[in-house]
Amino acid sequence: MTKTPAICVFCGASFGDKPIFSTAAVAMGAGIAGLGAKFIFGGGGPGLMGEAARGARDAGGTVEGILPGFLRDMEPPLDTGEDTEIVPDLFVRKREMIARSDAFVTLPGGLGTYDEFFEVLTAAQLGVHAKPIIVVNVDSYFDALDAMIRGTIARGFARDTVLEMYQMATGVDDALARLKAALRL
Ligand code: AMP
């Protein structure tokens, strides 16, 4: 890959119930910077989003946030000089995230994180893109998600080719190795 790759991270605006989630978010951000990739995220400072972005920034990475204007109060951006672009709504945010990124990483999060993960997975399912999607299964958080998708396939509501469209990483190191391989970094 000749141009600087961009990796989009989806994760919670909360911290979850264990410090391991924050540790993983910081390490993921730092690891993406270490790969020489741009770190793209939703632009908000709260929760794991802020941790991951700070991790990338503190490791010397380029951080780009895409924040819907109406979330500026609810999810204020980090006040640390990141490039934050204000977009009209959640839909433009997702469209921009998909267009600008070469790969997607899902760290533990809540319903917004699931929404973003399924947005990119269903777009892959429809052939809109073929970019790598990595799920970082910190503390086995995403076992249930993986089981749900496998159950959906078993019950005939999705094709088993979907399993080739996302990768379950056991942790941050595994996710970084998968990104490196997929993006040929
Ligand atoms: P959560 O995982 O619920 O903590 O949310 C993580 C991020 O997802 C936050 O920045 C939310 O603004 C964002 N988010 C929540 N709902 C949506 C949605 N429908 N589309 C796009 N992003 C969303």
Side-chain angles (χ1 to χ4, degrees):
M1 183 166 282
T2 47
K3 82 167 183 51
T4 303
I7 298 173
C8 183
V9 172
F10 305 133
C11 61
S14 308
F15 291 101
D17 63 347
K18 289 187 179 177
I20 193 174
F21 296 127
S22 294
T23 308
V26 172
M28 193 71 230
I32 287 173
L35 292 179
K38 185 191 281 185
F39 177 98
I40 295 188
F41 79 124
L48 297 191
M49 294 191 303
E51 297 295 298
R54 264 186 289 272
R57 183 207 57 204
D58 290 350
T62 305
V63 174
E64 189 174 297
I66 306 172
L67 186 68
F70 79 96
L71 281 179
R72 246 184 302 206
D73 293 332
M74 254 186 294
E75 298 180 4
L78 293 173
D79 191 18
T80 44
E82 282 76 10
D83 183 5
T84 303
E85 183 175 338
I86 303 297
V87 293
D89 55 42
L90 289 167
F91 303 100
V92 175
R93 172 201 255 177
K94 287 191 285 197
R95 192 184 70 204
E96 286 302 315
M97 284 171 147
I98 291 177
R100 294 181 197 190
S101 307
D102 299 297
F104 306 95
V105 169
T106 304
L107 283 166
L111 305 185
T113 301
Y114 293 140
D115 177 86
E116 290 167 328
F117 166 72
F118 279 112
E119 183 80 20
V120 294
L121 184 61
T122 52
Q125 184 179 239
L126 297 174
V128 174
H129 72 85
K131 298 172 182 175
I133 302 170
I134 316 276
V135 178
V136 194
N137 197 17
V138 182
D139 200 38
S140 303
Y141 180 71
F142 287 119
D143 281 358
L145 177 75
D146 191 41
M148 186 180 80
I149 295 171
R150 288 172 185 277
T152 305
I153 293 165
R155 299 298 303 267
F157 283 105
R159 295 190 182 171
D160 57 7
T161 48
V162 168
L163 296 176
E164 294 158 19
M165 295 172 191
Y166 71 97
Q167 303 181 37
M168 295 293 290
T170 53
V172 171
D173 288 347
D174 186 23
L176 289 168
R178 289 170 184 273
L179 285 167
K180 238 175 134 168
L183 298 176
R184 297 192 186 87
L185 298 174

